[in-house]
Amino acid sequence: MGVYAVEGDEVVNMAWSGPGPPSHPRFSVRSGLTGAAIEAHSTIVSNDVAGDPRYLQTLETTGSEIIVPVIADARVVGTLDVESARTGAFNEDDRRALERIAAELPPLYL
């Protein structure tokens, strides 16, 4: 899992959990599934990243990824990024739970 901030034209990692540091601690707001979530201002779920051309590879073992934007004052200020080794890992309950968490985070970014 990663917590990211949107800083200008970049997405910057603020915190993570996993086997090592993020492969991409900084990257363009137009890159990967994160870029798609930022552009759409909505959650992106890819339950098979191997078949998703938007996926910005971080771990070879990732099968699924969900990106939830953190929105404040009508702009995306950050994202939550959760990956799973399983394909088909994320369902609507996961989406709703992560969106509730993201809705509580804007004060941390302001």
Side-chain angles (χ1 to χ4, degrees):
M1 176 174 186
V3 178
Y4 292 84
V6 175
E7 297 180 357
D9 289 339
E10 288 189 309
V11 178
V12 179
N13 182 264
M14 296 170 53
W16 77 89
S17 66
S23 299
H24 307 282
R26 299 180 85 86
F27 56 93
S28 168
V29 295
R30 292 176 275 299
S31 295
L33 294 166
T34 298
I38 291 168
E39 182 179 349
H41 281 66
S42 69
T43 300
I44 299 290
V45 178
S46 180
N47 270 320
D48 185 3
V49 298
D52 194 329
R54 302 171 298 176
Y55 178 62
L56 180 62
Q57 185 173 352
T58 54
L59 300 171
E60 291 181 16
T61 58
T62 300
S64 300
E65 184 172 26
I66 184 170
I67 309 290
V68 182
V70 177
I71 300 173
D73 298 327
R75 66 182 181 90
V76 178
V77 295
T79 63
L80 298 179
D81 176 341
V82 181
E83 297 182 21
S84 173
R86 294 184 305 114
T87 57
F90 301 109
N91 60 36
E92 282 302 308
D93 290 339
D94 299 318
R95 178 189 194 117
R96 283 190 295 272
L98 289 167
E99 287 174 346
R100 281 193 304 273
I101 293 167
E104 298 296 322
L105 295 180
L108 299 176
Y109 289 87
L110 302 175

